[in-house]
Amino acid sequence: MTLYQPFLDWAIATLKDALDLSSYPIPDGFESKVATTGSKKKAQEVRTTSYGYQAPKLRQIRAAHVQGGDALQVLNFVIFPSLDYDLPFFGADLVTLPGGHLIAIDMQPLFRDDAAYQKKYAEPLLETFKHHQQYLPWGGDFPAEAQPFFSPAFLWSRLQENEVVSTRVFDAFKDYLQAYLGFVKDVKPAPAEELPAIKDAQLKYLRYRAEKDPARGMFQRFYGPEWTEEYIHGFLFDLERKLAEDAV
Ligand code: DBV
């Protein structure tokens, strides 16, 4: 089963249509990684495939696709805007585990408590949010410290049916990515006086995601701690490294 392959294929095709897309470097050894888990009799291959792109206004567009049989499928897809735009992050965390599906789709704000920012980037999404929310019941508690990073249009759900993922979740994913591309098209460079706050907000978000990455345990089990830390800081959440290299 590869539940999320259609999401990935659609996203890449759509980005290619809408943007002047080029590839983003994936460090050696991280394009594709395989481990075998389970017993000898019931061995299960777990493959993690990485995708990286960039485009004008978008510093890094990256996906991690984990395929480990019916009980383990993950697509984590994030767009990190360039530091001279006030764009939110596009984030999708689509996770299938033995207990069911965990779905998170959002445009994560740089400035959660700024009313003008909300009006610009959250309000236009609320109709779409309400539509999809009907089919994607609220997933329940999540870490309070994560709150500042979510928008009011955060789709967060726990589901049982594969069918709902392939239909309702896929529709929501498409609508959110299309809406995001609309923001990208319209956005103008931020005024110079806003740039320090943007950089600061990007770093806060990035540090939180890298530090709290809920996939850390899973990656460590499959691929070991060294590979995992390098994957997290060198690819999945790489802004600090890139700033240190002066590559941003
Ligand atoms: N999450 C990541 C990356 C992953 C990944 C890079 C490449 O940030 C997968 C893989 N997320 C992943 C896995 C789990 C979760 C859970 C494997 C399950 C962990 C487990 O149960 O063992 C949304 N994802 C979660 C949780 C939340 C999110 C709130 C539950 C965590 C918990 O209960 O502690 N991640 C969070 C979020 C976005 C996101 C809102 C962006 C929209 O990417």
Side-chain angles (χ1 to χ4, degrees):
M1 180 180 76
T2 62
L3 193 55
Y4 300 116
Q5 190 68 48
F7 289 65
L8 190 55
D9 293 343
W10 181 87
I12 293 171
T14 300
L15 292 168
K16 281 187 175 153
D17 267 355
L19 304 169
D20 181 10
L21 206 64
S22 55
S23 67
Y24 185 93
I26 301 171
D28 282 350
F30 295 86
E31 299 92 341
S32 179
K33 180 77 175 169
V34 183
T36 306
T37 63
S39 61
K40 258 193 185 150
K41 252 177 146 177
K42 263 193 87 178
Q44 173 65 55
E45 183 181 273
V46 181
R47 178 183 298 273
T48 296
T49 315
S50 301
Y51 300 80
Y53 299 94
Q54 57 194 320
K57 305 180 184 179
L58 302 175
R59 188 186 70 79
Q60 188 200 32
I61 302 164
R62 58 85 179 143
H65 188 199
V66 183
Q67 292 168 278
D70 288 356
L72 178 62
Q73 296 286 321
V74 179
L75 178 63
N76 184 269
F77 183 92
V78 182
I79 301 179
F80 298 94
S82 304
L83 299 187
D84 37 6
Y85 294 88
D86 72 355
L87 288 165
F89 305 93
F90 177 87
D93 201 20
L94 312 174
V95 181
T96 298
L97 298 171
H101 312 285
L102 186 158
I103 301 298
I105 303 173
D106 199 10
M107 288 194 205
Q108 300 179 309
L110 288 175
F111 309 112
R112 177 76 158 86
D113 299 324
D114 178 329
Y117 192 87
Q118 288 244 20
K119 199 169 161 59
K120 189 171 175 188
Y121 289 123
E123 266 180 35
L125 209 61
L126 290 180
E127 280 304 308
T128 305
F129 169 68
K130 282 184 197 139
H131 170 73
H132 292 293
Q133 203 189 21
Q134 301 174 71
Y135 311 108
L136 305 174
W138 181 247
D141 286 349
F142 63 93
E145 57 192 354
Q147 291 271 9
F149 301 105
F150 298 119
S151 87
F154 179 36
L155 282 172
W156 165 241
S157 193
R158 293 177 193 273
L159 300 165
Q160 288 303 321
E161 302 293 321
N162 286 358
E163 172 74 15
V164 180
V165 174
S166 301
T167 56
R168 299 301 187 185
V169 175
F170 197 11
D171 285 346
F173 178 80
K174 287 175 177 169
D175 281 354
Y176 272 57
L177 190 59
Q178 294 282 21
Y180 190 79
L181 290 171
F183 288 140
V184 173
K185 184 163 170 277
D186 292 342
V187 73
K188 301 283 180 286
E193 66 270 19
E194 282 178 23
L195 297 182
I198 290 174
K199 184 172 167 185
D200 199 51
Q202 281 238 5
L203 281 169
K204 271 205 187 94
Y205 176 82
L206 186 100
R207 287 183 184 131
Y208 177 78
R209 293 288 309 264
E211 189 186 327
K212 301 289 174 179
D213 189 345
R216 182 178 260 110
M218 171 186 87
F219 283 137
Q220 285 177 344
R221 266 198 319 284
F222 297 144
Y223 310 128
E226 236 172 89
W227 185 92
T228 298
E229 288 315 300
E230 193 51 32
Y231 191 46
I232 290 173
H233 295 284
F235 180 65
L236 291 176
F237 303 105
D238 72 353
L239 179 62
E240 288 196 290
R241 287 270 183 95
K242 296 291 171 180
L243 285 170
E245 291 165 13
D246 214 12
V248 174

